[in-house]
Structure formats: C-alpha cells, structure tokens
Amino acid sequence: MAINKLGLIGGGNIGGVLFAEAAKRRLAKRIGFMDIKPPDLAKGKALDIAEGAPTISTDIHYDAGKEFNVLEGSEIVINTAGVPRTKRPDGTIPTREELLQTNIKITKSVAEGIQKYCPDATIISIANPLDAIVYTLYKILQPPKNKLMGMAGQLDSGRYRYFVAQEAGVSVENIEALVLGGHGDTMVPITRLATIGGIPAEEIIPKDRLDAIVERVRFAGGELVKLFGNGSAYYAPAASAIEMAEAYLKDKKRVIPSAALCEGEFGVDGYFIGVPTVIGAGGIEKILEFKLLPEEQEMLNKTLI
Ligand code: APR
C-alpha cells in the first residue's frame, strides 16, 4: 500500500533516479520534489519523467519546485541536497570529507525546510560526508532515533556483493556481504561474513583476490568519480535508498546496513555509523549487534576518528 507522500530534497543525479524509481514502483500517492537550482530543475525533471509515465504505465502525481513547501505533508523524505565529489583538473579526487563545509551549510537549510513542512517525517539522508551530514540533521532536528538514517551501508555492501559475484562467476542473488562503519575509505567490510550460496566466500575465493575486492570496495566511489569526470555515483546510491524507503513503506523488516545512531552498540556511543539494521514501519526498528573480532573492532574504532 502506497503512503500518501514521499518527499525528495535535491533533484540532481541521485534525486532524478529516486523520482523515476519511486514513481515506477508506485511507492507513494504523491511525490514532493524540491531543488533550488534555477530556473526550476525539479519542476523540469518531474515533468520529463511524468511525460514518460504513460509509456511505462505508471501514474505520477507530484508537487515540484524550488521552495520547500512542495514537501508539505511528506511522511518520509530522502535528502540528496549537496555537492558531489568531482575530479579536479589535475586528475586527483577530493575525499567525501572535503565536501563538508559546503554541504553542512546546505544541510542547515534542508533541516529548516523539513522542520517547517514535514517535521514528523522519517528521514533517509544520502548527501556526503554521509555520517557527518546525518549527525548534523540529528543535532538540528532532534528526531526520535528510529526516524533518521543514512544510506551508505546498502551501497557499500552492494558493491562488495557485486565484486564477489563477478569473481566467483555466480549470480549476485547468491551473495551476502556486510560492510560496517563510516562511508569512507576506512569502511569495514566484514570478509568472514561474506557468503556465496551460504558458503563462506573465504573458502571459495583465494585470500589475495578477496583482499583486492575489499580494497576496491573501499575506493569504489572514487573509481566512479574518476570515470565520470564531473560528478559521483548516482544509480546505485539511488537504488539503495529506494530499497530502504520501500522496506519502511511496506513494513518489510528488511536487514539493511545503514547509518544509525548507536548508543553502545558495537562499542559506539552517540554517533551515527554504518551497522546492520532492521527497517520496517517503525523506521530503524532494531540494530542487529554481533560480536566483532578484535581486529574488526579496531578497524571500526578507526572509522570514528
Ligand atoms: N536545497 C535543495 N537542493 C539543493 C540545495 C539546497 N539548499 N543545495 C544544492 N541542492 C541541489 C543542487 O541544485 C543539485 O541539483 O542538490 C542537487 C545535487 O545533485 P548533484 O549535484 O547531481 O549530486 P548527486 O550526484 O545527486 O549527489 C548528491 O549525494 O552521494 C552524495 O556526494 C553526493 O553530496 C552529494 C549528494
């Protein structure tokens, strides 16, 4: 059953895919779509996607524009407002943390908009640096902790699963893999828990190949920034956030790694960090804590620094 309204803040690369996918899956009866970019990016993209709706046999109802009022009444919002990483002229790429100054300012205005037009909405945030932006939203809005989450773990785990599937020559559907920690180069892929059809991946893929996969996962975002030249990953991030939104909207109780406020779990207290969560109608309904090996715990502690 579709909810009444889904709000999307930011109508750039990720926002556009979110709008199209949410419409295709009929996640909400109405979509609120907001972007400050003139002359009116959100309105334009929404119209473009709506004009394709008859072809893909879906119905789209939306409010789109440059002001936050289009979000009025949203039960859930997905936030992508912010600058992405972009390759510098010398070919180097910035870290996600280097986006902080600009994106914190944007996040403050996003928080004001949410406060004013949909203060009770559950929030999924994607803008980078992920963990810091989610924490900023938390500080300003002070929502119940189950109603605020960051999208990163599903993306990082998805990348891990895809690379393992390729290496093993099997379907991605048979791969489970978990990445914990921050959404940066210090993320913590838990290799011993990666499985291929239920069999530990370590028993099927040689250690040096698995190590190379872990390294690729850590820098997978940067690999795309280099290939794109003028922006960062957007399809897989959007698909990941839509899975989270759908788990919430359909009360699926799916286990999805996401950035959640930890209060003692995994030895983390008072910070948002990527952990396995159960997402259902209550938002983050549970954090699934398990015992980490000492070296995994050490890696996790490092992501907080
Ligand atoms: N309010 C609303 N929208 C804003 C605001 C704001 N205050 N400031 C910027 N935006 C919009 C921009 O106009 C732009 O259209 O956010 C959009 C971001 O879109 P892109 O530049 O295409 O970036 P995208 O690839 O979608 O990534 C968005 O998610 O993954 C992260 O690092 C990425 O921080 C980036 C964010």
Side-chain angles (χ1 to χ4, degrees), residues 8-16 34-38 41-42 45 65-66 68 79-86 96 99 102-103 105-110 125-130 133 151 155 183 228 230-234 237:
L8 301 175
I9 307 176
N13 281 337
I14 302 179
M34 186 271 172
D35 195 297
I36 48 156
K37 195 168 181 184
L41 178 70
K45 264 199 190 180
K66 287 182 288 184
F68 281 103
N79 169 42
T80 66
V83 294
R85 290 198 284 171
T86 302
R96 293 181 181 89
L99 307 174
T102 309
N103 285 353
K105 276 194 211 131
I106 293 172
T107 303
K108 286 181 181 157
S109 91
V110 164
S125 191
I126 305 184
N128 275 312
L130 193 276
I133 296 294
M151 187 299 299
L155 171 64
H183 184 48
F228 288 177
N230 65 347
S232 58
Y234 61 95

